[in-house]
Amino acid sequence: MNDKELIGKVHNAMYQQCQRRGYAAPVDVLMDIGVLPKKKYEDWRFGRVPFLESVCTVNLRKLSFIMSQMRAYAKKADLKPSFCYYKQWGMKKPTGQGHKPVIPLRFSKSGSPEIEKMYATHYVDHKRVSQLKAETAEATNHNLTTEGQS
């Protein structure tokens, strides 16, 4: 896949995610464009993989290019960056009681704070979020009135 095709795929994935849920997340874009297999993503979330970049199907130069295209799209579409903390799934204390230990996940081989932050940043379309909330409220109100009539 050449860079031009990749740009189209990245921008389309960002647009589709924002339409569907009001934000786009880098890990989801990577899955949508076929660079991160869902099974490998789950392995990473459960802590079976040391860092996310190791299970992506493209080299670091391509990953860096993809990430820069996400930021370019976010800027063009006026999406607001929002940091998201990624922690390991499925952790339980040996006794099964109390709070689960929180284990942060690593995205990059280097562990560089700037790179980690880029992967963990979601891009929010506040206008779309408002629309989705209004649609949900409208649907809830509609359901309540039709239930009351039966």
Side-chain angles (χ1 to χ4, degrees), residues 9 31 47 56 63 65 69-70 113 126:
K9 281 188 162 200
M31 284 190 283
C56 289
L63 273 176
F65 179 75
Q69 285 306 310
M70 286 185 220
H126 288 287

Side-chain angles (χ1 to χ4, degrees), residues 14-139:
M14 296 275 293
Y15 174 80
Q16 294 298 329
Q17 286 183 34
C18 286
Q19 287 302 300
R20 191 170 54 251
R21 58 187 189 196
Y23 70 92
V27 292
D28 293 328
V29 170
L30 293 173
M31 284 190 283
D32 287 353
I33 66 174
V35 168
L36 174 61
K38 187 171 176 29
K39 170 80 174 93
K40 298 292 185 184
Y41 168 75
E42 290 170 357
D43 286 345
W44 172 70
R45 287 305 304 253
F46 281 110
R48 296 188 284 258
V49 173
F51 55 94
L52 187 72
E53 289 176 343
S54 68
V55 292
C56 289
T57 60
V58 294
N59 62 32
L60 293 180
R61 189 205 72 79
K62 273 270 204 252
L63 273 176
S64 178
F65 179 75
I66 291 165
M67 298 300 287
S68 71
Q69 285 306 310
M70 286 185 220
R71 291 189 303 279
Y73 179 88
K75 187 173 184 175
K76 183 176 78 175
D78 198 29
L79 305 179
K80 301 295 177 238
S82 175
F83 178 77
C84 183
Y85 186 80
Y86 280 78
K87 59 186 186 234
Q88 190 173 314
W89 288 345
M91 289 303 300
K92 293 212 181 338
K93 279 197 166 181
T95 61
Q97 297 176 346
H99 289 288
K100 298 176 190 174
V102 174
I103 299 175
L105 289 170
R106 199 159 130 193
F107 292 93
S108 65
K109 183 176 184 174
S110 70
S112 156
E114 301 83 43
I115 294 172
E116 295 294 311
K117 188 176 178 187
M118 281 191 285
Y119 278 108
T121 298
H122 292 190
Y123 298 97
V124 182
D125 182 340
H126 288 287
K127 289 179 194 156
R128 184 66 181 141
V129 169
S130 296
Q131 289 173 340
L132 290 168
K133 283 182 180 176
E135 289 169 13
T136 302
E138 194 176 301

